[in-house]
Amino acid sequence: MPSRSIEDYIKTVYELQGKNQRVFTKDIARSMGVKMPSVSGMVKHLAAEGYLSHKPYKGVLLTKRGQRIAVDLLRRHRLIELFLNKTLDIPWDEIHEDAEVLEHVISNKLIERIFNFLGRPKFDPHGHTIPGKDGNMPLSRGIPLDQVNEGETGCVVEVSDHDPEFLRYLTGLKLKIGSEVLVKEHAPFGGPIMLKLERQSLAIGLDAARRIRVDIKKKVGKRSN
Amino acid sequence: MPSRSIEDYIKTVYELQGKNQRVFTKDIARSMGVKMPSVSGMVKHLAAEGYLSHKPYKGVLLTKRGQRIAVDLLRRHRLIELFLNKTLDIPWDEIHEDAEVLEHVISNKLIERIFNFLGRPKFDPHGHTIPGKDGNMPLSRGIPLDQVNEGETGCVVEVSDHDPEFLRYLTGLKLKIGSEVLVKEHAPFGGPIMLKLERQSLAIGLDAARRIRVDIKKKVGKRSN
DNA sequence: TCTTAAAGTTTGTCGAACCTAACTATTGAA
DNA sequence: TTCAATAGTTAGGTTCGACAAACTTTAAGA
Ligand SMILES: [Mn+2]
Ligand SMILES: [Mn+2]
Ligand SMILES: [Mn+2]
Ligand SMILES: [Mn+2]
């Protein structure tokens, strides 16, 4: 029932609010590529419809109702991405854009068919958890690579999917979901992180490292705090 | 570039105009479920954009430009139907509705991937010819079942896909694309057509018969004119 | 020829979703 | 405490695609 535009506002707020941070007009506008008055207007409407609560000049927060919409959309988005990747063999850097459109128009029946066809999967091609039909919000797994201590080894579990360039960069490095990376050194002053990946050494910028999440392999022995 | 609404008007005109019959406001309105003034307004716009020519009070006719849009859309529609049917195993009576939406939003890149994935197919699940990328308009194959003479045998090559009920009816009869049917008798006064299909006798109404197209098997011997 | 029903068009309105310009609130330096 | 810079809102306007009401054309029958 909500329009495509409404769905996209809700999804944007969901992504921006993280674990219940208030979200501001300016950030919604920037993230969606619209001007602030458009956001003000739509926010008023979304609040009236009960999708979010709005304290003027103090930002918005999704209601349960709004979160439900967002999580459903995320489920669709991620199932579509996985379907395009697995079935049509479309590389992981090209699926997001198509999914961004299809998430709004694919019928529920079709989504559930896709879900079953894919074997009731848990994760999309970028490692993101696929929410269940129940509307429970999925947690991000792992921790950002830039927060891993020197000497620790992690298994890549999630990467950011909004920037195709970034995904192609990872592909070039042969870094994928499941790769094991050993953090050798944090260069100081916002410098790069030195990694060992499949016997290869490489340096990764902080911006990139923040978009990669890993599960730490508990190493027996030395563990800095 | 044309909006979804514009694409649907053009497609509707294409379907109504057959082999260059002028198409009238009232028929477009009925077929699209909008009121006549909406059609008048849109037709003026479509004429201005060069998609069709309009003689006020005398109907419209697609230009080459308009036909091109229509045929492209048909290609998408039919490839999507076949994809849903083949890949996700969705029955032929449930695919049209989803395709009706998806035809407007699936990217060209995705369509061509689907085309190749399906092995560059020629026909959709209802037997309709899938147009090529070149924009040539596909012909209907065969002749309507109600025009087959008594005693002749035909192979079902196309069935109408707009009405799911009708398709379920055919499924119930075990009549599918490729079925062989022998016309035994035309009952008079608009009565049913008596068929033999796989050793079974059955009677089919005229309305249904008109929506089924068959290729006649040239029978050696008796051939009424 | 005249009349009228049906088809077609024009005009004015509406809701969505966007915009620009102008105004207001918040906040953190000076 | 004052005051800009920044953020947010309001007011007013545009475009798109639909609508109802009112008007016009066409074509058929009396
Ligand atoms: Mn994505
Ligand atoms: Mn979206
Ligand atoms: Mn169809
Ligand atoms: Mn359509």
Side-chain angles (χ1 to χ4, degrees):
Chain A
M1 211 70 218
S3 67
R4 165 168 186 180
S5 180
I6 286 176
E7 287 183 340
D8 272 334
Y9 275 94
I10 292 172
K11 197 172 84 159
T12 298
V13 173
Y14 181 87
E15 278 159 6
L16 291 175
Q17 83 176 21
K19 184 61 193 161
N20 272 21
Q21 305 276 286
R22 296 196 81 83
V23 176
F24 299 96
T25 307
K26 188 191 49 148
D27 301 305
I28 301 172
R30 189 170 39 75
S31 168
M32 295 194 56
V34 299
K35 297 301 163 65
M36 287 180 56
S38 307
V39 177
S40 270
M42 183 56 91
V43 153
K44 203 186 305 181
H45 183 222
L46 295 176
E49 296 286 311
Y51 293 121
L52 48 75
S53 67
H54 179 216
K55 290 222 180 112
Y57 296 97
K58 302 290 178 172
V60 301
L61 215 45
L62 289 181
T63 59
K64 284 272 167 279
R65 178 128 178 274
Q67 282 174 43
R68 181 64 207 241
I69 302 279
V71 172
D72 278 5
L73 213 49
L74 230 43
R75 172 175 167 82
R76 294 159 161 277
H77 183 95
R78 290 172 182 176
L79 281 170
I80 291 163
E81 285 191 343
L82 186 61
F83 182 64
L84 295 179
N85 179 247
K86 280 274 136 62
T87 309
L88 291 175
D89 236 346
I90 303 181
W92 73 347
D93 58 303
E94 294 180 26
I95 55 186
H96 179 77
E97 232 190 339
D98 282 299
E100 203 58 44
V101 179
L102 294 175
E103 65 187 4
H104 303 285
V105 299
I106 291 204
S107 66
N108 262 317
K109 197 176 63 184
L110 213 47
I111 283 291
E112 295 317 317
R113 290 247 187 200
I114 288 172
F115 179 59
N116 285 310
F117 174 79
L118 292 171
R120 313 177 76 79
K122 295 269 193 300
F123 308 108
D124 82 5
H126 313 105
H128 296 114
T129 303
I130 295 171
K133 282 185 283 287
D134 50 27
N136 286 335
M137 55 186 238
L139 311 161
S140 278
R141 290 181 301 151
I143 60 172
L145 183 54
D146 66 307
Q147 286 171 30
V148 176
N149 294 315
E150 293 178 359
E152 286 186 327
T153 296
C155 174
V156 175
V157 290
E158 275 190 29
V159 301
S160 163
D161 73 335
H162 275 61
D163 180 3
E165 275 299 341
F166 172 67
L167 291 169
R168 283 193 286 276
Y169 170 63
L170 297 186
T171 304
L173 298 177
K174 300 209 187 316
L175 188 154
K176 28 182 174 292
I177 302 298
S179 291
E180 297 227 330
V181 292
L182 163 63
V183 173
K184 298 209 300 198
E185 189 196 341
H186 290 259
F189 305 111
I193 296 173
M194 313 308 250
L195 302 175
K196 181 151 273 183
L197 166 67
E198 299 194 9
R199 275 147 240 293
Q200 295 243 330
S201 283
L202 52 95
I204 272 193
L206 263 189
D207 287 352
R210 275 191 275 264
R211 303 193 203 179
I212 299 169
R213 300 179 68 99
V214 299
D215 262 348
I216 298 301
K217 293 210 129 159
K218 281 274 150 38
K219 234 212 184 117
V220 213
K222 80 168 174 192
R223 177 87 174 87
S224 83
N225 196 2
Chain B
M1 208 69 215
S3 69
R4 168 171 182 178
S5 180
I6 286 175
E7 287 184 339
D8 272 335
Y9 275 95
I10 292 173
K11 197 172 81 157
T12 298
V13 172
Y14 181 86
E15 278 160 6
L16 291 175
Q17 84 176 21
K19 184 62 193 162
N20 273 21
Q21 306 276 284
R22 297 196 80 83
V23 176
F24 298 96
T25 306
K26 188 192 48 152
D27 300 305
I28 300 173
R30 190 170 38 76
S31 168
M32 294 194 56
V34 299
K35 296 302 163 65
M36 287 181 57
S38 307
V39 177
S40 270
M42 184 56 91
V43 153
K44 202 187 305 182
H45 182 224
L46 295 176
E49 296 285 311
Y51 294 121
L52 48 76
S53 67
H54 179 215
K55 290 221 181 111
Y57 298 97
K58 301 291 176 170
V60 301
L61 216 45
L62 289 181
T63 59
K64 284 270 167 279
R65 179 128 178 274
Q67 282 175 41
R68 181 65 206 240
I69 303 279
V71 172
D72 278 6
L73 213 49
L74 229 44
R75 173 176 167 83
R76 294 159 162 278
H77 182 95
R78 291 173 182 177
L79 281 169
I80 291 163
E81 284 191 344
L82 186 61
F83 182 64
L84 295 179
N85 180 246
K86 280 273 137 59
T87 310
L88 292 175
D89 235 347
I90 302 180
W92 73 347
D93 57 303
E94 295 180 26
I95 56 187
H96 180 76
E97 232 190 340
D98 283 299
E100 203 58 42
V101 179
L102 294 175
E103 64 187 4
H104 303 286
V105 299
I106 292 204
S107 66
N108 262 317
K109 197 175 65 184
L110 213 47
I111 283 291
E112 295 315 316
R113 289 246 187 203
I114 289 172
F115 179 59
N116 285 310
F117 174 79
L118 293 171
R120 312 177 78 77
K122 294 269 192 302
F123 308 108
D124 82 5
H126 312 105
H128 296 115
T129 304
I130 295 171
K133 282 185 283 287
D134 50 27
N136 286 336
M137 57 186 235
L139 311 161
S140 279
R141 290 180 301 151
I143 60 171
L145 183 54
D146 67 307
Q147 285 170 30
V148 177
N149 294 315
E150 294 179 359
E152 286 186 327
T153 295
C155 175
V156 175
V157 291
E158 276 189 27
V159 301
S160 162
D161 73 336
H162 275 60
D163 179 4
E165 274 299 342
F166 173 66
L167 291 169
R168 282 193 287 276
Y169 169 62
L170 297 187
T171 305
L173 297 178
K174 299 210 189 316
L175 188 155
K176 27 182 175 293
I177 303 297
S179 291
E180 297 227 331
V181 291
L182 163 64
V183 174
K184 298 208 299 194
E185 188 195 343
H186 290 259
F189 306 111
I193 295 174
M194 312 308 249
L195 302 173
K196 180 151 274 184
L197 166 67
E198 298 193 9
R199 276 148 238 292
Q200 295 242 332
S201 283
L202 51 96
I204 273 194
L206 262 188
D207 287 352
R210 276 191 275 263
R211 303 192 203 180
I212 300 170
R213 299 178 68 100
V214 299
D215 264 348
I216 298 301
K217 291 209 131 160
K218 281 274 149 36
K219 226 200 184 136
V220 212
K222 80 169 171 190
R223 177 90 173 85
S224 84
N225 196 1

